[in-house]
Amino acid sequence: MTDSSFEPDRRSDMLHVVGARENNLKNISVRIPKNRITVFTGVSGSGKSSLVFDTIAAESQRQLNETFNSFVRHRLPHYGQPDVDSLEHLSVAIVVDQKRLGGNARSTVGTITDIYSLLRLLYSRVGKPFAGYSNAFSFNDPQGMCERCEGLGTVAMVRVDRLIDKSKSLNEGAIDFPTFRPGDWRWKRYVCSGLFDNDKKLEDYTDEEWDTLLYKTDVKIKNPLPGWPPTSKYEGIIPRFERSFLSKESEEAKSRYKEEFDRVITRGECPLCKGARLNLQALSCKINNRNIADCTALPIRELVEVIREVRRPVAAPIVSAIVERLEHLVSVGLGYLSLNRETFTLSGGESQRVKMVRHLGSSLTGITYIFDEPSIGLHPHDVRRLNDLMKRLRDKGNTVLIVEHDPDVISIADHVIDMGPGAGSKGGEIVYQGDVPGLAASGTLTGKFLSHRPKLKTSPREPDGALVIEHASLHNLKDVSVRIPQGVMTVVTGVAGSGKSTLINGVLPVHYPEAVYIDQSAIRGSKRSNPATYTGILDSIRSLFAQSNRVSPSLFSFNSSGACPECKGLGITYTDLAFMDPVVSRCEVCQGRRFTDEVLGLTLRGKNISEVLNMRIAEAGSFFHEETIRPVLQRLTDVGLDYIQLGRPLNTLSGGELQRLKLAAELENSGRIYVFDEPTTGPHMSDVARLIGLLNRLVDQGGTVVVIEHNLDVISQADWIIDMGPGAGQEGGKVVFQGRPHELIQHESSITGFYLKQHVEPSFC
């Protein structure tokens, strides 16, 4: 099917993919209109990413890299050539993905967007009193950084309550740290000083004794006990600890005593710069009574107005540039952030939008922008701004390709390519291409769910207790007290930056550390880890092979004696070609099967171990009937991972797939507190109903489920809703609403309630 509105006048108006076979793509050919918004839809595993990222983006970036000389190419990311016959009329592609920005404590929103560089320039030109050139305002430069914290804004501090057990005496081991315990040489510096009653419990010390023990320095000892070094002076526990472990790179702290060190040390605000990161000279320089640190601490939407007030003619070009970039951040819903926010604390959705901002001010045209589910982390209220951004990129003369499940984003498409019909081997085909109305009428799985409107939950469960949080004030939370009902499913909602994650991921674990968090973070392991090893069923599979063939189970491990000696059980080999792309090729010895010929000759029900590991979970469910294996495969199927191979490396799974893998491992448990962070990330619209069923299953097994979510289908099926807001950043941090879904849609000031009312069946409004 084709959309006649995109019949080109010239072949160059279309990006033409011919014979794409990457991953599960079935030799597909497709024409994609340039200078339009094309949205790629389909169930998880249908081939969307294989076409957009692994074929189009990879080849564009590979060919771009080839235009540089060998010296530069050696330092650029390497991209392998995708399995495709040809790509015609390809343009330069910029990929804006969900990967978190990461970085260390020196990387902030201000530095990653270059806005802080402009602020530094502004203060160096018009700030009073003059403090130096722009480097004098850099916390990453010795000229500007605070000498105490070296530009970090925080310093390591000793937790006295963890280092000292006041219920004990010095002889009983009141100083709870190796080398300070009874008998150790540092301990003798206190019990042999003659300053203390060594059998007196520290809780009975006078204020003077307590101050002496902890803080006094350079004290000459008059009446020491035997064992005191003759020429030494007394030094309190805290300055000695800081000098020994914090003022230098201590090997003891880094290795031998790392666990104990991490227990008693925390990071706190630098006492010299008060967290501003800069030295006092830089902080003394002000514009309109604000120093540069004051500006970076403001929410971006407030900072815009502050910068506009700088009206000096010499600063006009700099002010204009700063305001423009700040407004771009506001336009993508990030006005609640501050420029001093460290990038590693940003969510995947926030990171993606910060990356978008880099391209808004660009005057380049003819670029292909590729987005990976940009609606992730966005409240329905914020998706409108996202859509406006996509349209702006298109209207500047660019091609926009979006991989997306959200109906609101799909609605702005000029052209839709729907992949499927299923996942894995059942996908890899184009089941529809055309406009949005045509998709809705196409009968494909995506088309059927495009206009889906759920019913509100009519019979919410009654709670059997509550998880209590009182007076929480972390980050932007404003003295929040809530009771999260137990034995039901609670959905925590609100716009991005409203305080949802702070409340549930930041505060709840402090009060209820036993809660199980199922998020999208990577699972610990290597490229050898896979669903079979993660769920533990590989041990049972190896045992079955061993029993059937009367050999050792270790033969069937690709980490042990049965592994191919050439590729060490990986099935592939890597050849480094210096400045050229590394060649990843199937192992010539085992042909990618990972095991020796001897092992591959041993079978179970006609299949060897390599063939079993290449089975998709759906196939394995029919192959195995053992009670140690079949229930696990069923749980993997229940969470929608039936299209994944048993032996697929975990490092190739998406965040959403990893989250569902973790969920599968929990389905056999009961009675726990479960916290899910946006579990609808990744799944197709048709899979959300299945996900809701699994969350209900955990509750029915006696669990308590807490879900941070924007998806209105999930919100409509909650037993209880906590809506945070009303806005983001400093405009959020309050509980706007607590109650049942049918009560939320009647709430006058809830943004979530407004969108939920529009989303559900009219009869429930």
Side-chain angles (χ1 to χ4, degrees):
M1 287 174 282
T2 59
D3 181 2
S4 60
S5 63
F6 290 111
E7 291 299 324
D9 296 325
R10 300 183 307 274
R11 286 176 55 84
S12 60
D13 289 339
M14 289 280 185
L15 190 165
H16 197 189
V17 181
V18 180
R21 295 175 297 275
E22 193 70 21
N23 299 326
N24 69 331
L25 298 180
K26 295 176 179 171
N27 199 37
I28 65 172
S29 297
V30 63
R31 297 170 73 190
I32 302 168
K34 288 190 171 184
N35 303 324
R36 297 288 189 271
I37 296 174
T38 298
V39 178
F40 295 78
T41 60
V43 298
S44 299
S46 62
K48 305 183 301 297
S49 294
S50 295
L51 176 59
V52 177
F53 294 100
D54 300 336
T55 303
I56 297 172
E59 182 62 5
S60 171
Q61 293 174 324
R62 187 186 72 84
Q63 291 192 22
L64 177 64
N65 286 0
E66 286 186 348
T67 65
F68 298 100
N69 61 43
S70 60
F71 178 82
V72 175
R73 281 154 58 192
H74 189 51
R75 287 153 179 80
L76 291 173
H78 292 173
Y79 300 94
Q81 187 165 356
D83 189 1
V84 60
D85 289 338
S86 68
L87 283 163
E88 300 173 7
H89 313 300
L90 194 62
S91 59
V92 173
I94 294 175
V95 176
V96 185
D97 58 23
Q98 303 167 21
K99 291 179 181 176
R100 294 174 184 257
L101 284 168
N104 56 31
R106 297 186 180 277
S107 176
T108 66
V109 172
T111 60
I112 202 72
T113 58
D114 287 333
I115 297 174
Y116 190 64
S117 296
L118 292 170
L119 269 180
R120 287 164 41 203
L121 184 62
L122 179 67
Y123 270 81
S124 70
R125 294 297 185 269
V126 299
K128 301 294 182 184
F130 176 73
Y133 296 103
S134 64
N135 278 10
F137 299 92
S138 171
F139 48 79
N140 293 324
D141 190 296
Q143 294 182 54
M145 67 174 56
C146 168
E147 54 267 27
R148 173 71 188 274
C149 65
E150 296 182 334
L152 293 175
T154 61
V155 292
M157 305 175 70
V158 180
R159 287 282 302 270
V160 175
D161 59 323
R162 294 185 179 180
L163 180 63
I164 306 294
D165 184 349
K166 297 181 74 172
S167 68
K168 295 180 179 180
S169 67
L170 289 174
N171 279 336
E172 292 172 328
I175 310 174
D176 188 12
F177 193 83
T179 74
F180 282 88
R181 289 171 182 164
D184 288 319
W185 67 274
R186 286 194 176 98
W187 169 80
K188 292 180 180 179
R189 294 298 180 97
Y190 301 97
V191 296
C192 297
S193 67
L195 297 173
F196 311 103
D197 178 347
N198 296 327
D199 293 316
K200 183 178 180 179
K201 296 187 184 301
L202 270 60
E203 61 190 6
D204 297 327
Y205 273 29
T206 64
D207 290 344
E208 177 66 22
E209 288 174 322
W210 182 249
D211 183 64
T212 299
L213 177 68
L214 291 187
Y215 302 112
K216 284 191 177 177
T217 60
D218 204 31
V219 177
K220 188 173 182 180
I221 298 301
K222 297 179 181 178
N223 301 302
L225 300 179
W228 179 263
T231 60
S232 295
K233 291 186 178 180
Y234 175 84
E235 183 178 32
I237 294 172
I238 300 303
R240 174 174 285 276
F241 194 94
E242 291 176 343
R243 180 171 56 81
S244 300
F245 294 107
L246 304 184
S247 62
K248 61 183 178 181
E249 286 294 313
S250 168
E251 288 300 322
E252 285 182 299
K254 286 193 298 183
S255 54
R256 186 177 178 187
Y257 303 125
K258 185 179 187 307
E259 185 176 338
E260 292 91 344
F261 179 80
D262 291 342
R263 180 180 61 83
V264 302
I265 294 299
T266 187
R267 293 201 71 85
E269 182 183 271
C270 173
L272 182 59
C273 68
K274 308 299 183 186
R277 298 173 175 251
L278 298 165
N279 59 40
L280 298 182
Q281 183 182 12
L283 294 175
S284 68
C285 180
K286 296 184 178 182
I287 300 174
N288 294 342
N289 295 319
R290 282 189 172 91
N291 61 37
I292 194 170
D294 296 331
C295 290
T296 60
L298 290 172
I300 287 168
R301 63 166 55 91
E302 293 181 26
L303 181 58
V304 174
E305 302 307 319
V306 169
I307 298 300
R308 279 202 181 104
E309 292 300 314
V310 181
R311 305 185 189 278
R312 301 176 197 181
V314 68
I318 308 173
V319 168
S320 176
I322 294 173
V323 168
E324 181 184 23
R325 297 193 186 195
L326 292 174
E327 287 181 334
H328 287 158
L329 286 168
V330 174
S331 72
V332 295
L334 296 179
Y336 62 91
L337 294 180
S338 57
L339 294 183
N340 64 5
R341 175 83 173 263
E342 294 168 339
T343 53
F344 70 83
T345 67
L346 298 178
S347 68
E350 288 170 331
S351 297
Q352 191 174 34
R353 280 175 281 157
V354 168
K355 294 174 191 175
M356 292 179 196
V357 170
R358 299 178 185 175
H359 308 294
L360 285 179
S362 172
S363 58
L364 292 174
T365 60
I367 302 294
T368 296
Y369 288 98
I370 300 179
F371 295 92
D372 186 9
E373 295 190 50
S375 68
I376 285 176
L378 288 181
H379 189 274
H381 177 70
D382 297 316
V383 172
R384 292 182 303 172
R385 292 173 172 172
L386 172 72
N387 287 345
D388 290 340
L389 166 62
M390 299 299 175
K391 293 174 184 176
R392 287 167 59 186
L393 287 173
R394 175 199 62 190
D395 295 344
K396 286 166 59 177
N398 299 301
T399 301
V400 180
L401 308 183
I402 310 172
V403 174
E404 186 58 84
H405 294 300
D406 192 313
D408 290 335
V409 177
I410 296 172
S411 69
I412 67 165
D414 300 308
H415 190 64
V416 178
I417 295 176
D418 194 25
M419 302 292 295
S425 60
K426 297 179 182 178
E429 301 175 26
I430 295 174
V431 294
Y432 171 82
Q433 52 182 316
D435 59 18
V436 176
L439 175 64
S442 67
T444 69
L445 200 55
T446 304
K448 290 176 181 177
F449 278 86
L450 201 57
S451 56
H452 169 67
R453 301 186 73 177
K455 299 177 180 180
L456 281 179
K457 194 167 199 174
T458 53
S459 301
R461 301 177 180 88
E462 291 298 325
D464 57 12
L467 307 175
V468 180
I469 295 175
E470 294 184 336
H471 307 296
S473 299
L474 183 65
H475 300 324
N476 71 329
L477 297 181
K478 297 178 173 66
D479 195 30
V480 169
S481 296
V482 294
R483 294 174 63 85
I484 302 172
Q486 289 183 284
V488 304
M489 182 170 78
T490 298
V491 179
V492 184
T493 65
V495 299
S498 60
K500 305 183 302 298
S501 294
T502 299
L503 179 66
I504 302 304
N505 293 334
V507 178
L508 184 64
V510 176
H511 295 80
Y512 299 94
E514 69 274 20
V516 178
Y517 283 76
I518 302 177
D519 57 18
Q520 299 170 34
S521 60
I523 294 172
R524 284 191 177 183
S526 68
K527 52 192 172 185
R528 296 179 180 273
S529 301
N530 54 55
T533 60
Y534 179 75
T535 58
I537 62 173
L538 186 57
D539 291 337
S540 297
I541 293 172
R542 290 168 52 216
S543 295
L544 287 173
F545 269 94
Q547 292 167 15
S548 178
N549 294 278
R550 299 174 183 266
V551 294
S552 169
S554 65
L555 282 175
F556 305 98
S557 169
F558 42 74
N559 297 321
S560 190
S561 57
C564 169
E566 178 67 20
C567 64
K568 305 296 189 294
L570 288 176
I572 54 178
T573 58
Y574 295 87
T575 305
D576 184 6
L577 298 181
F579 61 83
M580 296 178 67
D581 293 338
V583 174
V584 180
S585 54
R586 178 185 294 178
C587 175
E588 294 181 359
V589 175
C590 68
Q591 297 301 311
R593 295 179 296 176
R594 296 183 168 191
F595 297 89
T596 63
D597 288 340
E598 176 192 0
V599 173
L600 293 172
L602 305 174
T603 62
L604 174 70
R605 299 168 198 155
K607 301 283 187 183
N608 64 39
I609 184 66
S610 179
E611 291 170 328
V612 167
L613 289 173
N614 281 330
M615 284 182 178
R616 301 190 186 278
I617 288 164
E619 300 172 61
S622 302
F623 183 81
F624 291 104
H625 50 76
E626 287 77 12
E627 286 303 311
T628 56
I629 298 175
R630 192 172 180 81
V632 177
L633 296 175
Q634 184 58 53
R635 289 196 294 272
L636 291 169
T637 299
D638 289 345
V639 299
L641 295 178
D642 53 326
Y643 62 92
I644 289 178
Q645 294 169 313
L646 282 176
R648 180 174 166 182
L650 294 188
N651 62 358
T652 67
L653 299 184
S654 68
E657 288 168 335
L658 289 171
Q659 189 175 35
R660 281 178 279 161
L661 183 59
K662 297 174 189 176
L663 170 58
E666 290 293 338
L667 288 178
E668 63 178 330
N669 298 319
S670 61
R672 296 185 178 183
I673 302 169
Y674 295 98
V675 177
F676 292 85
D677 194 350
E678 297 187 39
T680 60
T681 298
H684 185 262
M685 293 174 280
S686 62
D687 294 321
V688 173
R690 175 192 284 181
L691 174 64
I692 293 171
L694 293 173
L695 298 177
N696 282 322
R697 177 172 159 183
L698 289 174
V699 176
D700 293 339
Q701 291 173 184
T704 296
V705 173
V706 182
V707 187
I708 302 170
E709 190 55 82
H710 296 297
N711 185 282
L712 294 169
D713 284 5
V714 176
I715 295 170
S716 72
Q717 298 306 304
D719 296 305
W720 190 259
I721 295 173
I722 297 174
D723 191 35
M724 301 295 294
Q730 292 306 309
E731 296 176 6
K734 298 179 181 178
V735 176
V736 175
F737 168 85
Q738 297 184 71
R740 310 288 192 184
H742 69 272
E743 297 168 335
L744 177 61
I745 63 174
Q746 305 300 333
H747 197 275
E748 294 182 357
S749 60
S750 169
I751 297 175
T752 304
F754 171 80
Y755 284 95
L756 183 62
K757 186 174 182 177
Q758 292 183 324
H759 183 69
V760 299
E761 280 192 0
S763 59
F764 286 85
C765 301

